[in-house]
Amino acid sequence: MAKLIHPRRALSTNPLKTSAPLGAAMAYLGIEGAIPLFHGAQGCTAFAMVHLVRHFREAIPLQTTAMNEISAILGGGEQIEEAIETLRKRAKPKFIGIASTALVETRGEDVAGELREMLLRRSDFAGTAVVYAATPDFTGGLEDGWARAVEAIIAALVPEGGPVLPGQVNLLAGSHLTPADVEEVAGMVRAFGLAPIVLPDISASLDGHLSEDWAGHSLGGTGLADIARMGRSVATLAIGEAMRPAAEMLAAKGVPAEVFGSVTGLAEVDRFVAALMRLSGREAPAVLRRDRARLADTMLDTHFQTGGLRVALGAEPDLAVSLGGALVGMGAEIVAVVTTSGLSPAAERIPAAEVILGDLGDLERGAEAARAQILLTHSHGRMMAEKLHLPHVRCGFPVFDRIGAQDVCRAGYRGTRAFLYEVANAMLGQLHRPRPEDFGASRPPMEFDHAPPPPASH
Amino acid sequence: MAEPLKQQIAEAFVEPACETNRAKSEAARKKGCAKPLMPGAAAGGCAFDGAMIALQPIVDVAHLVHAPLACAGNGWDNRGSASSGSQLYRKGFTTDLTELDIVMGEGEKKLYRAIREVIEAEHPAAVFVYATCVPALIGDDIAAVCKVAAMRFGTPVIPINAPGYVGSKNLGNKLGAAALIEHVVGTMEPEAPGPTDINIIGDFNLSGELWQVTPLLDRLGVRVLGSVSGDARYRQIAMMHRARVTMVVCSHAFLPMARKLEERWGIPYFEGSFYGISDTSAALRRLCALLVERGAPEDLLARCEALIAEEEAKARAALAPYRARVEGKRVLLYTGGHKTWSVVSALQELGMEVVGTSTRKATEEDKGRVVEIMGDERHMFDNMAPREMYTLLREARADVLMSGGRSQFVALKARVPWVDVNQEKHEPYAGYVGMVDLVRAIDRSVNNPMWAALRAPAPWEAGAVVAAVAPLVLAAVPSSKTDFEDC
């Protein structure tokens, strides 16, 4: 158990954290035909949208209730109604996910109550599922907002269980998984003949595909009909500690749940595969066995670089547990780690002596003091990477100075393999040729040096 | 084979300075020390490879390989010799002989043009031209081309006559060194030769190993005048004849060169090693004693003892924290020569158990030292087939294999840690600090938690024990943090 450190300071320098409503928006985007709607001032939405667009390099449908100075005082219920009406008219979404912001939560608005009242009154909204999650910017980060959104979806759209549908499993995907990760994990589930309902399924919406259509809502994602059947699954597999409350909600509807803190690293993936074997009653398919054997060989080839590697890690709790755990399992040492939120028990499970709940400024100081050799964090870590001359493996959100963040897979046997190569190669790319100074040795006397002739004058 | 080359090879085999050779009967000595290679079961490098390895670390020389592409193309930029100056030695230069060059007999002309081009482009201190199988077969007169080119371009151009087919890598080492004696040594004079100038032969400054030792020499006021060939400049080779003492670092192949330096210029030599604490100390003692014999100030001896005492204490203190981490670990050593025993005592001192040590390329004296250190001969073995080694390691009869790169994958595939102690290694382990680095590397390797994960059974293997995640107890499910019921 890591000791959680709360720095005693007022100033946050170079934030690691991304806001909770943005996390909720990302989760909502994993639902088919969705438009996330921020209940707040329009700037909240604009900043979040720019962030999302830079990361995914996609047009992101994200709207706002555009709170103004009057509604900020008198209440924003009407703003929501108007927003839903406009969105329905313009983009015909099947799903609108509302995320509150600090503004309305500070006001103390009873959004849930107003929404219930409004939906009863506006029967013409029936064709659009509307879900609301309380995600004030001042509580938690992206991971928490994502989790609240998933919980809101389950609460609103999953009816009480019915007859079990054999082979159907719920796969609750945490915010630390990229679209490629989600696809990999869902593929493993399918490889055992199981039919997963992935919630939320950003692998079908934010995976960076060129579609044949333009729409003002998400294209792809978990279908609403599938969500409605989640109470009848054989089991729920939740990836990431942040997904535990959502898994527990499904468990309350009669679906047994297992939570996997990580699906990166040999032992962690083994545990997931063992669960799939138990659930399906099937043997592991040959392709998966081959993937495991390849990962084992990758571990042999990369442990020369990862053994004793001093890592600085800045990530939200679930991502830090996944990537940090995989590296520690390979002999690395997490010498400096900063995470965003102590709300999740995962924060304490990050494999390090101390975990700072702080910012990239804390990480920079920690990495420098502990002589870290590599940095793992999102793109904003690039300044400290430059300053400390560290190779920088980009992970988490946002990744805006590299292309293809959605396609990076670090989950499952295959993803772990790619991750280990990524880290080992980052180190190999840094290898400098030895110099006498490294050993405190002097250079040979100048008289031995060959002086090439001066360049011929023209 | 050309007569001079034949003679050179014959000479290499009767090397009087070589102990192995001296121990042989007259008849055995005549046969030479190169074992005939067995087609289908040979894996080592050729004579060209050996010559290249011996000389390529000379940093400000353009190393030009006169050959079809394979000789240089498949073998360049693959060694870790470090340079404190010019990086020219790392570039791959070759004449890239084509079918037309060979059929039309254009080899010599192409070589001459290549020498001119490399001199114009790189202004090297010298050009070393390596002969290889094909030009040797078709009769290119490389020596003549080099001579003409050197005269025309005013840059030394040295022929290195060691085509691959004449023998092994070891022979190539000798032929390369012989070329230096014949063409380079004694062609320049140092500005201020001193009473503590030395030559070091047989160290290639791999990963900077030489620099783990030179700070010690600096503190004793000893200057490395000549080096074959770690971090060497061409001039240092040319001035070697003015050194007072030559140290040959763990290499029989370079003894002939040391002996010739003694014969021609009266420089005494000794064999020593910088691997292991006691070896490093012994080498420094011997070096200083010889220097004093040759006129260095007497107080060098006392200063050397003080340095040894200080450095040994420092090294032992640095090693102490690792004792608990490596104690009891069983090591299989698969190296050869003096390394058969030179690191054994250091490992034993840390409580490690050496379960076996290979005596490949080891002399009788080396073997004697093994017995002395390990008590008996039970732990000595000669060669081991990869299959046998795999089985031995797979049965977990050793905790770590220390060897060269060729057996790396035998250990790894047997799920056993491996530490590189041969020439391709990426970490320097010389001198006192190097020993600490070596033990750190062993610690890092054997104590990596990855091994346990790797040896654990897969989920589908019989008897797999995979800790199941505790199933949720419904009663323990806390109420949701947020109230969503009224959405």
Side-chain angles (χ1 to χ4, degrees), chain A residues 116 297 330 433 442-443, chain B residues 84 90 218 413 448 486:
Chain A
R116 183 182 47 197
D297 205 56
M330 288 292 296
R433 297 188 65 83
S442 51
R443 287 168 187 273
Chain B
S84 62
R90 295 177 58 204
D218 284 348
K413 301 283 180 187
N448 193 317
D486 38 3

Side-chain angles (χ1 to χ4, degrees), chain B residues 231-277:
Chain B
D231 195 28
R233 279 79 172 133
Y234 179 77
R235 284 178 183 222
Q236 287 180 275
I237 312 289
M239 296 170 184
M240 283 181 86
H241 61 297
R242 294 300 177 212
R244 299 302 175 99
V245 171
T246 299
M247 172 172 173
V248 181
V249 180
C250 50
S251 171
H252 285 5
F254 291 95
L255 281 173
M257 180 172 202
R259 186 178 50 79
K260 280 180 187 150
L261 286 167
E262 183 173 50
E263 274 173 15
R264 290 197 197 169
W265 293 286
I267 309 169
Y269 68 87
F270 73 101
E271 289 178 74
S273 154
F274 290 123
Y275 286 105
I277 292 174

Side-chain angles (χ1 to χ4, degrees), chain B residues 275-276 319 343 346-347 402 419-421 427-429 433-444:
Chain B
Y275 286 105
L319 284 171
V343 291
L347 298 181
M402 295 172 64
V419 174
D420 196 349
V421 287
E427 280 189 80
Y429 302 134
V433 285
M435 195 61 214
V436 181
D437 289 339
L438 176 64
V439 173
R440 194 177 290 137
I442 295 171
D443 166 38
R444 201 169 56 218

Side-chain angles (χ1 to χ4, degrees), chain A residues 63-111:
Chain A
Q63 264 303 333
T64 174
T65 56
M67 294 285 280
N68 54 41
E69 58 191 342
I70 296 169
S71 56
I73 307 295
L74 299 178
E78 284 168 26
Q79 307 283 123
I80 296 182
E81 186 170 344
E82 211 179 320
I84 294 174
E85 181 148 16
T86 311
L87 289 178
R88 278 175 49 84
K89 232 179 267 165
R90 289 208 176 157
K92 300 186 177 57
K94 294 180 193 151
F95 173 92
I96 294 173
I98 304 173
S100 64
T101 61
L103 170 63
V104 294
E105 296 287 349
T106 306
R107 227 196 123 253
E109 207 158 293
D110 177 19
V111 181

Side-chain angles (χ1 to χ4, degrees), chain B residues 127-131 142-144 146-147 157-161 179-180 183:
Chain B
V127 181
F128 282 14
V129 176
Y130 296 80
I142 291 167
C146 289
K147 204 167 169 185
V157 183
I158 312 300
I160 314 293
N161 198 5
L180 296 182
H183 299 286

Side-chain angles (χ1 to χ4, degrees), chain B residues 202-218:
Chain B
D203 180 283
F204 305 116
N205 197 27
L206 295 162
S207 310
E209 277 187 339
L210 190 60
W211 298 326
Q212 292 184 307
V213 176
T214 50
L216 303 172
L217 301 178
D218 284 348

Side-chain angles (χ1 to χ4, degrees), chain B residues 312-335:
Chain B
E312 283 198 358
K314 255 202 313 209
R316 296 222 151 82
L319 284 171
Y322 292 98
R323 190 181 171 90
R325 301 183 56 83
V326 299
E327 198 166 22
K329 298 287 181 204
R330 296 160 307 159
V331 186
L332 181 64
L333 267 177
Y334 192 66
T335 59

Side-chain angles (χ1 to χ4, degrees), chain A residues 110 112-113 115-117 119 130-134 148 151-152 155-156 244-245 247-249 251-260 266-267 269-274 277-278 283-285 288-290 292-293 295-297 299-301 303-304 306-309 328-332 343 413 431 433-437 439-455, chain B residues 60 77 79-87 89-90 122-126 189-192 205-212 214-215 218 223-226 231 233-236 239 408-409 411-419 426 428 433 437 444-445 447-451 453-454 456-461 466-472 474 476-478 480-487:
Chain A
D110 177 19
L115 192 63
R116 183 182 47 197
E117 181 274 320
L119 289 176
V130 180
V131 162
Y132 159 75
R148 296 299 86 76
E151 290 155 22
R244 186 179 291 276
E248 286 168 353
M249 289 170 70
K253 294 180 193 295
V255 185
E258 277 190 55
V259 180
F260 299 86
L266 185 72
V269 184
D270 278 354
R271 206 170 298 132
F272 186 64
V273 167
M277 287 171 67
R278 272 201 314 276
E283 278 298 308
L288 209 63
R289 293 164 183 243
R290 188 72 174 188
R292 188 184 190 277
L295 171 57
D297 205 56
M299 290 164 71
L300 291 171
D301 291 343
H303 85 280
F304 297 109
T306 58
L309 183 64
V328 166
M330 288 292 296
L343 295 180
Y413 294 129
L431 274 191
R433 297 188 65 83
R435 299 164 308 168
E437 303 86 277
F439 304 90
S442 51
R443 287 168 187 273
M446 292 289 280
E447 73 157 299
F448 297 150
D449 280 332
H450 166 69
Chain B
D60 52 1
D77 194 19
R79 291 179 56 86
S81 289
S83 165
S84 62
S86 174
Q87 297 293 323
Y89 71 116
R90 295 177 58 204
E122 307 286 351
H123 309 293
E189 293 295 333
E191 282 168 13
N205 197 27
L206 295 162
S207 310
E209 277 187 339
L210 190 60
W211 298 326
Q212 292 184 307
T214 50
D218 284 348
R223 174 168 83 149
V224 180
L225 176 67
D231 195 28
R233 279 79 172 133
Y234 179 77
R235 284 178 183 222
Q236 287 180 275
M239 296 170 184
Q408 170 181 359
F409 294 102
L412 295 185
K413 301 283 180 187
R415 290 109 166 120
V416 166
W418 170 78
V419 174
H426 298 292
V433 285
D437 289 339
R444 201 169 56 218
S445 184
N447 291 318
N448 193 317
M450 180 273 287
W451 299 110
L454 208 64
W460 46 82
E461 277 166 2
V466 177
V469 178
L472 273 176
L474 268 183
V477 175
S480 180
K481 284 181 190 136
T482 327
D483 182 14
F484 302 109
E485 291 307 313
D486 38 3
C487 287

